[in-house]
Amino acid sequence: MPFGPNSWIELSTTTIEHNITQYKKIIGNNVALAPVIKANAYGHGMREIAQLLDDNQHIERVCVAKLTEALTLRKQGFKKPILVLSILDSAPEEAIINNINVTIWDLKTAEIFNAVAKKLGKNAQLHIKVDTGLSRMGPIYSNAVQLIMSCSKLEHCTIEGVFTHFSNSENTDLSFANLQIERFTNIIEQIKKQNINPPLIHCASSAGQTVLPSSHFTMARLGIGLYGLWPSPDNQKTTNVLHPNFSLQPVMKWKTRINMIKTVPAHSFVGYDLTYKTERETRIAVLPVGYADGYNRLLSNKGTVKIKNQYAAVIGRVAMNLTMVDVTHIKDISLDDEVLLLGKDPHVNAQTIAKLCQTINYEIVTNINQDVHRIIIP
């Protein structure tokens, strides 16, 4: 009986370097690449991914969603610049003292940072987000120039960046994305006429970098692509046409070991709610993972895992901490055998699992419990 973590995630250094290199080849050396490591690095582990990025020469800064995420990185010793994209869930003093750049979307918030920075004898580094069509954070594009001009007059604030975010750059039809770029470019041109020249102008996400070259500006944010996952099947198809040599490699492998092996007779029910009944004598491997770990309950009677280079079907309901798979056909199976829950294999990759769960690959990986043990491998 093996003892230790019930499951673990392996993060490949080589693979993440490959993905970064692929995007840098497209955007070029004059465009800064800023990985997004919010939501526990899309489920991969913020501490571990930050460690890899702090050592990578191609990466100058990272982005997070929350100020508390940025503060956690600083406490862990992360040295490079950090940009908070959305949520200011800690005091402005914390951002300024810890050299964390923040996103502003209204003048009142900018004035608060200005007052705090004055009190501390420092400057607050601001990025201003504008809404070019997503109808989420930031002033609508017709009001954006006025906000940027007002913020530029604050004595203890520096506008380091201006940015926007796409609504649908993952789709085949990029007409609305191009309209957003047009609106954004117009804003940048107007503020430059007012001698406002932020060094970091950013618009492109992972999808935009490969299919919308006009979105690159001076910085590009790299989200799901950093982890070797495609923003969408449509984005993958379009990218493959425009950049035939471009490739992504999943960074994560999620593994477990068998908790128990047992044989049950034909016509036995497996799992809660009697949703699965064996048609023959069946050998079952019980896996010590469930929906509490992030293995989606919608994989009940649908999912697949890989053991000894063979596939095993999930049978019965995925429970909170346990999942059963049919291993009748796998010979010489033992408790020491590793089980691949998620990885590069097409039958167990994030996109395949997302399709089974009727969601997107983003949700599959970000839902993995942050308590799952994560290790860095070559």
Side-chain angles (χ1 to χ4, degrees):
M1 175 68 192
F3 294 95
N6 62 300
S7 73
W8 67 95
I9 288 170
E10 296 174 357
L11 303 167
S12 169
T13 305
T14 303
T15 299
I16 203 168
E17 289 176 350
H18 167 85
N19 297 334
I20 289 170
T21 300
Q22 291 291 295
Y23 281 99
K24 282 298 289 182
K25 285 180 180 178
I26 290 177
I27 66 174
N29 292 327
N30 293 328
V31 179
L33 189 63
V36 181
I37 57 175
K38 64 180 181 178
N40 200 29
Y42 290 52
H44 290 65
M46 187 172 71
R47 178 197 298 268
E48 292 79 9
I49 295 298
Q51 178 182 329
L52 295 177
L53 298 176
D54 219 3
D55 296 334
N56 191 292
Q57 62 179 349
H58 293 300
I59 303 304
E60 299 176 8
R61 67 185 59 233
V62 299
C63 304
V64 294
K66 303 176 181 181
L67 177 52
T68 50
E69 292 175 324
L71 293 171
T72 296
L73 289 175
R74 285 288 185 248
K75 289 177 182 177
Q76 293 170 355
F78 188 80
K79 297 294 191 292
K80 293 180 178 179
I82 305 171
L83 170 62
V84 177
L85 294 171
S86 306
I87 302 168
L88 302 175
D89 56 347
S90 191
E93 289 88 346
E94 295 289 340
I96 297 168
I97 291 170
N98 287 282
N99 193 28
I100 295 168
N101 306 338
V102 298
T103 294
I104 296 298
W105 46 86
D106 59 54
L107 183 58
K108 181 179 179 180
T109 306
E111 289 174 338
I112 291 172
F113 271 86
N114 186 65
V116 173
K118 180 180 180 180
K119 182 179 178 181
L120 294 172
K122 295 178 177 291
N123 251 34
Q125 299 290 321
L126 309 182
H127 284 236
I128 300 176
K129 186 173 187 178
V130 298
D131 174 16
T132 57
L134 184 58
S135 298
R136 206 167 64 177
M137 303 297 290
I140 195 165
Y141 59 93
S142 56
N143 299 328
V145 172
Q146 183 58 52
L147 174 63
I148 296 169
M149 290 177 61
S150 297
C151 289
S152 71
K153 297 173 184 177
L154 299 173
E155 293 183 6
H156 300 277
C157 291
T158 299
I159 301 178
E160 186 192 40
V162 175
F163 72 105
T164 193
H165 194 44
F166 286 124
S167 299
N168 70 336
S169 58
E170 297 88 354
N171 298 347
T172 301
D173 183 357
L174 296 172
S175 56
F176 192 74
N178 280 306
L179 175 61
Q180 286 189 265
I181 294 172
E182 181 182 333
R183 290 170 173 172
F184 185 61
T185 301
N186 181 259
I187 291 168
I188 301 305
E189 289 175 348
Q190 288 188 62
I191 64 172
K192 285 185 175 180
K193 290 178 181 178
Q194 302 297 323
N195 292 317
I196 302 171
N197 296 287
L200 298 177
I201 307 297
H202 46 117
C203 180
S205 54
S206 298
Q209 288 179 56
T210 60
V211 300
L212 291 164
S214 60
S215 71
H216 293 169
F217 294 95
T218 61
M219 189 177 100
R221 304 182 304 271
L222 180 58
I224 197 78
L226 173 72
Y227 310 101
L229 305 177
W230 287 94
S232 71
D234 284 345
N235 179 254
Q236 182 176 5
K237 291 176 184 176
T238 305
T239 301
N240 288 341
V241 172
L242 296 174
H243 307 281
N245 296 322
F246 183 91
S247 67
L248 292 176
Q249 297 177 4
V251 171
M252 171 197 294
K253 290 181 181 178
W254 187 13
K255 296 179 178 180
T256 186
R257 285 193 173 89
I258 299 169
N259 211 44
M260 181 181 182
I261 301 170
K262 64 189 299 179
T263 300
V264 300
H267 313 302
S268 297
F269 288 106
V270 179
Y272 289 124
D273 301 325
L274 312 181
T275 63
Y276 186 89
K277 190 176 185 179
T278 61
E279 297 179 352
R280 49 164 167 72
E281 183 177 81
T282 302
R283 186 167 47 174
I284 296 172
V286 182
L287 309 181
V289 292
Y291 58 79
D293 303 286
Y295 195 73
N296 202 303
R297 189 171 181 269
L298 293 174
L299 294 172
S300 302
N301 296 307
K302 292 181 183 178
T304 299
V305 302
K306 196 171 186 180
I307 308 172
K308 300 191 74 165
N309 211 34
Q310 297 181 69
Y311 301 110
V314 173
I315 56 177
R317 292 271 196 236
V318 173
M320 188 179 294
N321 305 106
L322 299 169
T323 299
M324 286 75 74
V325 297
D326 184 349
V327 294
T328 308
H329 58 293
I330 303 177
K331 296 180 179 179
D332 302 321
I333 197 166
S334 72
L335 299 182
D336 290 328
D337 292 330
E338 288 187 353
V339 180
L340 182 65
L341 301 170
L342 185 152
K344 185 177 180 179
D345 187 284
H347 292 279
V348 295
N349 67 22
Q351 187 61 40
T352 297
I353 294 173
K355 189 173 182 180
L356 291 173
C357 296
Q358 296 184 319
T359 186
I360 55 176
N361 54 8
Y362 295 72
E363 184 178 11
I364 296 303
V365 291
T366 55
N367 276 356
I368 299 175
N369 194 307
Q370 62 182 353
D371 291 335
V372 174
H373 187 59
R374 289 159 170 85
I375 58 174
I376 295 173
I377 62 174

